[in-house]
């Protein structure tokens, strides 16, 4: 049950109880009323409207037309009370009292402290206009109404924020428990199988040894993933790019990164890491087995840059264009396409016998937008 629903229910009780004020005050001042019958009829009308308004709010919520109607009826009731509850001798008419705050509380619960204060001011001005102008009674009512609207709206805003944070915390806890369960399942099944493949491949030798080496590399990457802080404690929709790139580190891959986290929106970090992984996979696919790879991650505040450099045989600059023309779009789509979607750029420099360097750069301003677009695509 949200705080708005709780305040609506409390306001319902308050409005019916508050009707006792004009009833009791009118009863004590009955002999001095100029129009007692009209005064009694006014109280009946207020009772009927209070019931109708609370039912409207209960069934339809705080609809704008209901709120405006409630405020209009309250202003009309204040105006009518100056005539129906008028007293002889020029005394100040009997007030409808705390009941006036019902509409103010409804506005505060629906639209916050500013709207609550405005509704309180509207009712207060009506009181001054129809109940003898500015005097101690109307001034006190004005102060109480405005403060009531402001304070109630402020409390509602704080309550809504607190509820949202509690929901997010509950979701994070549930997600953390699920990740722990998945980590156990991965450890008990996938990691053990990969370790077995690595051990048996080394024992058999030949092509099986290469399969074992690849299995060992995947085992290390999975272990790094389930041990990473971003997997166990997601950073409110952000990921540390260092951890994603650190999975590539091994005997033939060296990763250099800042000492502090390089946080990016989760989807942006995932796309960036996928582009880097594609560059590393290209080295393993097209270069000799002994080729070394160096990953350099840089964060200058305005942009994040990753360089992937190898000491392989390299290739002629026109080879990429020829491959794209032949329909082989691995580099064009997996690297340049991903980085371009993030608002960044990717440069590939190579020459025969001089290795290859791929530099990917994503501006942080575009990163935030790209992350938002990515999250929208992923349905988050």
């Amino acid at each position: 049950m949200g705080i708005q629903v709780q305040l609506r229910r409390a306001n319902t009780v308050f409005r019916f109880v508050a009707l006792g004020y004009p009833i009791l005050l009118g009863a004590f001042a009955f002999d001095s009323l100029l129009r007692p019958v009209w005064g009694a009829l006014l109280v009946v009308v207020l009772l009927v409207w209070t019931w109708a308004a609370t039912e409207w709010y209960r069934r339809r919520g705080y609809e704008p037309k209901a709120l405006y109607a409630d405020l209009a009826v309250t202003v009309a009731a204040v105006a009518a009370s100056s005539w129906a509850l008028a007293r002889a001798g020029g005394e100040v008419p009997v007030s409808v009292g705390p009941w006036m705050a019902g509409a103010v509380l409804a506005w505060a619960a629906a639209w916050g402290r500013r709207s609550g204060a405005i509704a309180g001011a509207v009712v207060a001005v009506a009181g001054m206009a129809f109940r003898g102008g500015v005097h101690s009674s109307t001034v006190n009512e004005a102060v109480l109404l405005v403060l009531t609207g402001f304070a109630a709206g402020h409390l509602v805003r704080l309550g809504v924020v607190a509820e949202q944070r509690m929901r997010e915390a509950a979701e994070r806890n549930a997600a953390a428990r699920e990740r722990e369960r998945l980590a156990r399942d991965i450890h008990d099944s996938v990691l053990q199988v990969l370790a077995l493949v690595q051990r048996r491949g080394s024992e058999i030798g030949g092509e099986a040894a290469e399969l074992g080496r690849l299995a060992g590399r995947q085992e290390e990457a999975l272990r790094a993933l389930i041990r990473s802080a971003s997997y166990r404690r997601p950073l409110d929709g952000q990921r540390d790019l260092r951890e994603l790139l650190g999975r590539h580190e091994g005997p033939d891959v060296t990763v250099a990164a800042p000492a502090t986290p390089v946080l990016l929106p989760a989807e942006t970090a995932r796309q960036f890491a996928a582009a880097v992984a594609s560059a590393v996979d290209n080295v393993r696919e097209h270069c000799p087995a002994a080729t070394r790879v160096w990953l350099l991650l840089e964060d200058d505040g305005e942009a994040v840059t990753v360089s992937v450099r190898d000491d392989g045989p390299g290739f002629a600059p026109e080879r990429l264009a020829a491959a794209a023309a032949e329909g082989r779009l691995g580099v064009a789509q997996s690297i340049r396409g991903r980085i371009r979607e993030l608002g960044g750029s990717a440069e590939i420099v190579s020459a025969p016998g001089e290795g290859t360097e791929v530099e990917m750069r994503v501006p942080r301003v575009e990163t935030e937008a790209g992350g938002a677009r990515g999250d929208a695509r992923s349905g988050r």
Side-chain angles (χ1 to χ4, degrees):
M1 184 186 300
I3 187 172
Q4 287 184 314
V5 176
Q6 296 181 21
L7 184 57
R8 176 179 56 77
R9 293 182 175 180
N11 192 18
T12 298
V13 176
F14 166 79
R15 297 181 77 158
F16 280 106
V17 172
L19 281 174
Y21 180 87
I23 293 174
L24 292 177
L25 196 60
F28 282 116
F30 187 81
D31 294 337
S32 64
L33 292 179
L34 294 177
R35 305 173 185 86
V37 175
W38 286 102
L41 182 60
L42 174 62
V43 172
V44 172
V45 171
L46 295 184
L47 179 62
V48 172
W49 171 252
T50 300
W51 174 83
T54 53
E55 280 296 303
W56 196 350
Y57 290 145
R58 183 180 67 84
R59 296 181 181 181
R60 308 287 293 274
Y62 287 120
E63 289 185 337
K65 58 183 179 181
L67 292 166
Y68 283 113
D70 198 5
L71 185 62
V73 171
T74 301
V75 172
V78 173
S81 67
S82 65
W83 182 81
L85 299 177
R87 293 190 285 187
E91 296 184 45
V92 177
V94 174
S95 172
V96 293
W99 183 87
M100 295 185 292
V104 176
L105 290 174
W107 275 57
W111 292 329
R113 57 192 179 188
R114 181 179 300 175
S115 295
I118 292 174
V122 169
V123 177
V125 169
M128 293 179 180
F130 295 105
R131 298 186 59 248
V134 179
H135 49 78
S136 60
S137 177
T138 56
V139 169
N140 290 337
E141 287 180 355
V143 172
L144 290 175
L145 287 170
V146 172
L147 289 179
T148 297
F150 184 87
H154 183 65
L155 291 176
V156 168
R157 184 179 67 85
L158 293 178
V160 169
V161 172
E163 288 176 351
Q164 181 179 356
R165 290 178 178 175
M166 289 179 63
R167 284 195 299 269
E168 291 175 352
E171 292 172 358
R172 284 196 296 268
N173 289 336
R177 289 193 297 270
E178 179 64 14
R179 283 190 295 273
E180 290 292 340
R181 184 188 68 79
L182 291 175
R184 289 193 298 269
D185 292 345
I186 290 173
H187 181 272
D188 294 340
S189 57
V190 179
L191 291 179
Q192 291 185 3
V193 171
L194 290 175
L196 176 62
V197 172
Q198 180 186 20
R199 185 170 64 253
R200 293 293 296 159
S202 300
E203 293 173 356
I204 295 174
E207 293 184 356
E210 176 64 17
L211 292 177
R213 186 179 68 84
L214 294 175
R217 181 177 297 165
Q218 293 303 314
E219 179 193 6
E220 293 176 359
L222 276 175
R223 288 188 185 278
L225 170 63
I226 63 177
R227 288 197 304 263
S228 66
S230 61
Y231 178 83
R232 295 180 178 273
R233 297 181 298 277
L235 300 170
D236 295 329
Q238 294 187 317
R239 295 293 299 272
D240 186 357
L241 190 58
R242 299 180 311 160
E243 292 184 353
L244 296 177
L245 300 187
R247 301 173 190 174
H248 298 289
E249 191 160 19
D252 55 355
V253 179
T254 301
V255 178
T260 56
V262 180
L263 300 179
L264 296 174
E267 181 64 16
T268 300
R270 190 182 71 81
Q271 293 291 343
F272 206 159
V276 174
S278 180
V280 175
D281 290 341
N282 283 338
V283 176
R284 291 169 177 164
E285 181 178 354
H286 300 291
C287 297
T291 301
R292 295 276 302 166
V293 180
W294 292 268
L295 298 184
L296 174 62
L297 171 61
E298 298 176 284
D299 183 4
D300 61 9
E302 296 182 357
V304 177
T305 303
V306 177
S307 298
V308 181
R309 183 170 61 86
D310 65 69
D311 60 357
F315 55 85
E318 60 273 10
R319 181 176 170 184
L320 287 178
E326 295 172 1
R328 291 178 289 162
L329 304 176
V331 173
Q333 293 182 349
S334 298
I335 299 178
R336 284 176 171 161
R338 281 192 171 101
I339 299 301
R340 185 168 55 249
E341 286 184 359
L342 300 177
S345 59
E347 295 184 6
I348 302 175
V349 179
S350 184
E354 297 183 5
T356 303
E357 181 174 2
V358 181
E359 182 178 281
M360 293 161 276
R361 178 180 175 86
V362 175
R364 277 201 173 275
V365 174
E366 295 295 336
T367 291
E368 300 299 329
R373 291 193 297 269
D375 291 346
R377 289 194 302 270
S378 62
R380 298 180 185 178

